[in-house]
Amino acid sequence: MKLPTKTPFEQLQDLVGRSVTDIDTPALVVDLDAMKRNITRMAEFARKHGVRWRPHAKMHKSAELARLQVAAGAVGVCVQKTAEAEAMAAGGVNDIYISNEVIAPHKLARVAALANLLADRGGQLAIAVDSVEGIRRLSQAMEESGKLRAVVDVFVEIDVGQGRCGVPPGPHALALAHEIRRHTGLHFAGLQAYHGKAQHLRGARERRDAISMVVEDAVYTRKLIEAEGIPVGLITGAGTGSMVCEAASGVFGELQAGSFLFMDADYAANERDAAQPQFEHALFVKTQVISAQAGHAVCDAGHKSHAIDSGLPRVLALDAETELEYFNGGDEHGILRPAGTSTRVPEIGRMLWLIPGHCDPTVNLHESMVGVTGGLLSGTVDRVIRVDARGALS
Amino acid sequence: MKLPTKTPFEQLQDLVGRSVTDIDTPALVVDLDAMKRNITRMAEFARKHGVRWRPHAKMHKSAELARLQVAAGAVGVCVQKTAEAEAMAAGGVNDIYISNEVIAPHKLARVAALANLLADRGGQLAIAVDSVEGIRRLSQAMEESGKLRAVVDVFVEIDVGQGRCGVPPGPHALALAHEIRRHTGLHFAGLQAYHGKAQHLRGARERRDAISMVVEDAVYTRKLIEAEGIPVGLITGAGTGSMVCEAASGVFGELQAGSFLFMDADYAANERDAAQPQFEHALFVKTQVISAQAGHAVCDAGHKSHAIDSGLPRVLALDAETELEYFNGGDEHGILRPAGTSTRVPEIGRMLWLIPGHCDPTVNLHESMVGVTGGLLSGTVDRVIRVDARGALS
């Protein structure tokens, strides 16, 4: 007797061309048709508003999906981590923005190497900063990287309401712009003004109000910097929740929204802004019932299969008689109870589809995503998509 | 210019023999000295109470750590998933109990193959069931696996208060015991009576009360089965929270506790039962400050580095002046504010250690754990431990 010798990825590859019903559980499944419609809508939206579109790859972590979006008009990708940037570069993406602070000298040496690699390919690396210390360490890493051919685009991050990274709008940002311009390997490229919390304000009006303050902060800071003769090339930010506001501002030149690609239960719970494209759910966890008891069933997907930081998954209703609500069953289980007017507990072996609460950390739990066409009920497995930057934490 | 060619595991291997201060962030770090003391205490506890000890490998997911516990007296491991069982078998563990229901025929074929593999090695596979359908599918898979040499130990799971898998105590369990005995490749081995929710009841008295009802349910069910002349070989269950109660019951013959190995912030928040060994925290996320603002700092570990299903991590206090509280900063960030009498915001680059809220899903986020000896402040990297069953969902 032998253990299986195929890797999980190779096992999934064997599914290509077969029915979605053959996908074993739990599995992360992408509805490729819905995903492509989301891409088309996003590309149209950016074109209509005359803004650049740089979707965040921290969400899907896949070089293949990054390339697909670049082919549709995206200028490149955002990432949060050096290791994510390396994974995207290894997968053929040439324009990468690390929209986050990097401080460790060991990682900054990798950032510098990556800047030179992308420059060699005719691409570009960019990064965010929010401290003099960070700028000096980055500059030192660029100097020590040898060639000094590449110049890194550096964005000053301002805190526009999230209370996380970023200096306050105004003089602090001006001081950092001056500091960046003292270093030959660095180019002051503009401002990052991202308000993460605003993405999840439920009301469309609330989000508009929050982003109007973001825009004020960005304009104020830009004026202060430009008053000293320093051009502010670009203001970048926005997520799927608030993007219509930044796009309409005339101030933001670039949208970082990434979750639109898959949409999750949390974003779908937002009141939709009339100006927002109608994005569809495209990411699902396929699961099956492993235990059926009086009043509840148990499926084989718990929070090792999907992240619950933004709430529990919703169960996709496949028919009216088995409307189900998902309750927390721990790491490996989900507890399902009849919901709405339904009273039926699904039987053992029944396949179900979960819409994750939050797509980013859900994707990060999986090595691959199974891409299907033709729908979840009777579709076909088209390809297996690698999560290249899974666990790329450093 | 080239991208790094070493895998993340190989990069970590380069740290062996070097100082803990050289570990880049974020990283999952095991205090091997504390972990070994935990193992010694657990082994002593089991010996003193005359119970078998079968620690759950769904927590650490590492064949190396499973073998270490077997060497210290554990009879084998528990796992929740077929793929975890395969990873443990591939890593040299020969006595494996899948303490969960497996329903998919594709997976049951793998279970049957594994049962034969372990039998070939002189080992044993066991599994839990809670339905006639599950028993019949398992039996069919064993028949179809060809040789029919192996006999699987089958435990009937009873629901003792968790409201998840398991039939109600009593006649339902008796019926399943009878069903198991109708199949030649299956051996009715006893009852699984695990109360997951009781693990996290804060008061020691509450946990004792909850487990006394579990014991009643188990005894009642055993009597019913034994009254029909069917021996109930073993009652298995217990977790780190409640193990002193099951061990003292005289009814449970096996403890499944796994988290004692690392201890997490959630288990440490339980009122300690006087009979409980004093387990120490042995699992940490090393992180560093990447942004320092007025009133708060931001570190590079968010919930892609540690699971938050059982609460946010605690910050290990390294000195009295920098006591810090961790606030949710999203997928990649943690927000740190001075706590207690401390008012100091840590500086950029400052290294910190987080005690995860829940060790099981935290380990699952990482490819490797860095094992250190000599403590977190001035210790040395001793080895890198693979998370063999990371993402083993199926």
Side-chain angles (χ1 to χ4, degrees):
Chain A
M1 302 303 301
K2 279 187 188 165
L3 286 166
T5 52
K6 287 188 175 179
T7 66
F9 182 79
E10 289 165 343
Q11 288 173 38
L12 287 175
Q13 279 285 357
D14 290 345
L15 288 171
V16 172
R18 288 169 60 187
S19 163
V20 287
T21 57
D22 292 337
I23 304 171
D24 199 4
T25 60
L28 194 62
V29 175
V30 176
D31 180 335
L32 294 174
D33 305 325
M35 183 190 79
K36 283 175 185 168
R37 288 191 293 270
N38 288 343
I39 292 176
T40 302
R41 288 173 189 130
M42 184 69 194
E44 273 176 18
F45 179 86
R47 203 162 37 238
K48 201 174 77 183
H49 288 83
V51 291
R52 287 152 51 114
W53 165 48
R54 183 185 289 280
H56 227 304
K58 76 178 181 130
M59 192 283 284
H60 56 74
K61 287 176 168 277
S62 154
E64 178 179 340
L65 298 187
R67 293 193 307 266
L68 205 63
Q69 293 178 84
V70 168
V75 296
V77 296
C78 294
V79 297
Q80 293 287 70
K81 297 284 187 168
T82 308
E84 288 175 341
E86 289 167 344
M88 290 299 122
V93 181
N94 293 331
D95 197 327
I96 300 172
Y97 171 37
I98 305 174
S99 58
N100 194 13
E101 284 67 22
V102 177
I103 291 300
H106 179 72
K107 275 194 279 279
L108 286 168
R110 288 159 51 198
V111 168
L114 193 59
N116 285 305
L117 172 87
L118 294 180
D120 276 355
R121 291 192 196 160
Q124 181 64 42
L125 187 76
I127 193 167
V129 298
D130 75 354
S131 68
V132 171
E133 177 72 15
I135 294 165
R136 292 186 182 161
R137 289 188 184 192
L138 172 64
S139 174
Q140 191 181 341
M142 289 303 293
E143 279 177 35
E144 289 170 1
S145 75
K147 298 201 208 170
L148 260 185
R149 189 187 320 163
V151 171
V152 182
D153 280 344
V154 183
F155 288 87
V156 171
E157 178 164 23
I158 56 174
D159 179 1
V160 288
Q162 176 146 27
R164 199 169 66 181
C165 298
V167 291
H172 286 91
L174 172 63
L176 294 184
H178 276 301
E179 178 66 29
I180 292 164
R181 286 160 57 90
R182 290 190 191 104
H183 301 272
T184 50
L186 314 184
H187 168 244
F188 171 64
L191 299 173
Q192 158 143 319
Y194 174 70
H195 192 333
K197 281 183 189 163
Q199 307 310 312
H200 309 282
L201 295 172
R202 289 292 177 233
R205 176 67 186 270
E206 287 175 278
R207 294 195 300 278
R208 287 191 176 254
D209 290 348
I211 300 304
S212 73
M213 294 176 68
V214 169
V215 171
E216 273 181 37
D217 284 342
V219 168
Y220 158 59
T221 307
R222 181 173 68 184
K223 277 188 184 159
L224 207 67
I225 297 172
E226 291 189 335
E228 305 217 356
I230 304 172
V232 176
L234 183 70
I235 296 176
T236 179
T240 296
S242 72
M243 54 178 257
V244 295
C245 313
E246 283 94 340
S249 70
V251 168
F252 279 77
E254 187 176 89
L255 307 179
Q256 299 180 6
S259 296
F260 77 91
L261 187 71
F262 288 158
M263 283 299 282
D264 51 39
D266 184 65
Y267 269 127
N270 276 359
E271 179 201 356
R272 181 168 157 258
D273 195 300
Q276 175 94 340
Q278 186 73 264
F279 296 123
E280 302 168 53
H281 293 299
L283 186 79
F284 302 88
V285 172
K286 188 184 177 192
T287 181
Q288 74 184 290
V289 173
I290 60 167
S291 179
Q293 305 300 329
H296 78 276
V298 184
C299 72
D300 63 0
H303 52 253
K304 281 179 183 165
S305 303
H306 51 257
I308 60 170
D309 59 284
S310 301
L312 296 171
R314 274 178 36 222
V315 186
L316 189 70
L318 292 182
D319 59 62
E321 283 114 68
T322 48
E323 199 182 329
L324 294 165
E325 187 173 349
Y326 183 104
F327 294 83
N328 192 341
D331 299 359
E332 293 91 4
H333 301 88
I335 295 172
L336 304 163
R337 296 204 180 94
T341 58
S342 169
T343 55
R344 206 168 91 189
V345 173
E347 71 281 7
I348 282 178
R350 174 70 186 251
M351 299 294 176
L352 297 164
W353 299 85
L354 307 179
I355 303 166
H358 188 187
C359 46
D360 307 41
T362 295
V363 171
N364 187 49
L365 291 168
H366 295 260
E367 189 187 323
S368 323
M369 301 176 260
V370 182
V372 307
T373 56
L376 301 178
L377 278 178
S378 56
T380 304
V381 176
D382 182 77
R383 62 157 73 78
V384 184
I385 301 161
R386 269 190 208 276
V387 183
D388 303 287
R390 174 193 184 208
L393 293 169
S394 73
Chain B
M1 302 303 301
K2 280 187 186 163
L3 287 167
T5 51
K6 287 186 175 180
T7 66
F9 182 79
E10 289 166 342
Q11 288 173 37
L12 287 174
Q13 278 285 355
D14 290 344
L15 288 171
V16 172
R18 287 169 61 186
S19 163
V20 288
T21 57
D22 292 337
I23 304 171
D24 199 4
T25 60
L28 194 61
V29 176
V30 176
D31 179 336
L32 294 174
D33 305 326
M35 183 190 78
K36 283 176 184 165
R37 289 191 292 271
N38 288 343
I39 292 176
T40 302
R41 288 174 189 129
M42 184 70 195
E44 272 175 21
F45 178 86
R47 202 161 40 236
K48 201 174 78 184
H49 288 83
V51 290
R52 288 153 50 116
W53 164 48
R54 183 186 290 279
H56 226 303
K58 77 177 180 132
M59 192 284 284
H60 56 73
K61 287 178 169 275
S62 154
E64 179 179 339
L65 298 187
R67 292 194 307 266
L68 205 63
Q69 293 178 84
V70 168
V75 296
V77 297
C78 293
V79 297
Q80 293 288 72
K81 296 284 186 167
T82 307
E84 288 175 341
E86 289 167 343
M88 291 299 122
V93 181
N94 293 331
D95 197 326
I96 300 172
Y97 171 36
I98 304 173
S99 57
N100 194 12
E101 285 69 22
V102 177
I103 291 300
H106 179 72
K107 277 195 277 280
L108 285 168
R110 288 158 52 198
V111 167
L114 193 59
N116 286 307
L117 172 87
L118 294 180
D120 275 356
R121 291 191 196 161
Q124 180 65 42
L125 187 77
I127 193 167
V129 297
D130 75 355
S131 68
V132 170
E133 177 71 15
I135 293 165
R136 292 186 182 162
R137 289 188 184 191
L138 172 65
S139 174
Q140 191 181 342
M142 288 304 293
E143 279 177 35
E144 288 170 0
S145 75
K147 297 200 208 173
L148 260 186
R149 189 187 320 163
V151 172
V152 183
D153 281 343
V154 183
F155 288 88
V156 171
E157 178 163 23
I158 55 174
D159 180 1
V160 287
Q162 175 145 26
R164 199 169 66 182
C165 297
V167 291
H172 287 90
L174 172 63
L176 293 185
H178 276 302
E179 178 66 30
I180 291 165
R181 287 158 57 91
R182 289 188 192 106
H183 301 272
T184 51
L186 314 184
H187 167 243
F188 171 64
L191 300 173
Q192 158 143 319
Y194 175 70
H195 191 332
K197 281 183 188 162
Q199 307 309 312
H200 308 282
L201 295 172
R202 289 293 176 232
R205 176 65 185 271
E206 287 174 277
R207 295 195 300 277
R208 286 190 178 255
D209 290 349
I211 300 303
S212 73
M213 292 177 68
V214 170
V215 170
E216 272 181 38
D217 284 341
V219 168
Y220 157 60
T221 308
R222 180 173 68 185
K223 275 188 186 160
L224 208 67
I225 297 173
E226 291 189 334
E228 307 217 354
I230 305 172
V232 177
L234 183 70
I235 296 176
T236 180
T240 296
S242 71
M243 53 178 258
V244 297
C245 312
E246 283 93 340
S249 70
V251 168
F252 279 77
E254 186 176 89
L255 306 179
Q256 299 180 6
S259 296
F260 77 91
L261 186 72
F262 287 158
M263 282 299 280
D264 51 39
D266 185 65
Y267 269 128
N270 276 359
E271 179 202 356
R272 181 168 156 258
D273 194 300
Q276 175 93 340
Q278 186 72 262
F279 296 123
E280 302 167 52
H281 292 299
L283 186 80
F284 302 88
V285 173
K286 189 185 177 192
T287 181
Q288 74 184 290
V289 173
I290 60 167
S291 178
Q293 305 300 330
H296 78 275
V298 184
C299 72
D300 63 0
H303 52 252
K304 281 179 183 164
S305 303
H306 51 258
I308 60 171
D309 59 283
S310 301
L312 296 172
R314 274 177 38 220
V315 186
L316 189 69
L318 292 182
D319 59 61
E321 283 112 70
T322 49
E323 201 183 327
L324 293 166
E325 187 172 349
Y326 184 103
F327 294 83
N328 192 340
D331 299 358
E332 292 91 4
H333 302 89
I335 295 172
L336 305 163
R337 296 205 179 92
T341 58
S342 172
T343 56
R344 209 168 90 188
V345 173
E347 71 280 7
I348 281 178
R350 175 70 186 250
M351 300 293 177
L352 297 164
W353 299 85
L354 307 179
I355 303 166
H358 189 186
C359 46
D360 306 41
T362 296
V363 171
N364 187 50
L365 292 167
H366 295 262
E367 189 188 320
S368 323
M369 302 176 259
V370 182
V372 306
T373 55
L376 301 179
L377 278 178
S378 56
T380 304
V381 176
D382 182 77
R383 62 158 74 79
V384 184
I385 301 162
R386 269 190 208 276
V387 183
D388 303 288
R390 175 192 184 207
L393 292 169
S394 72

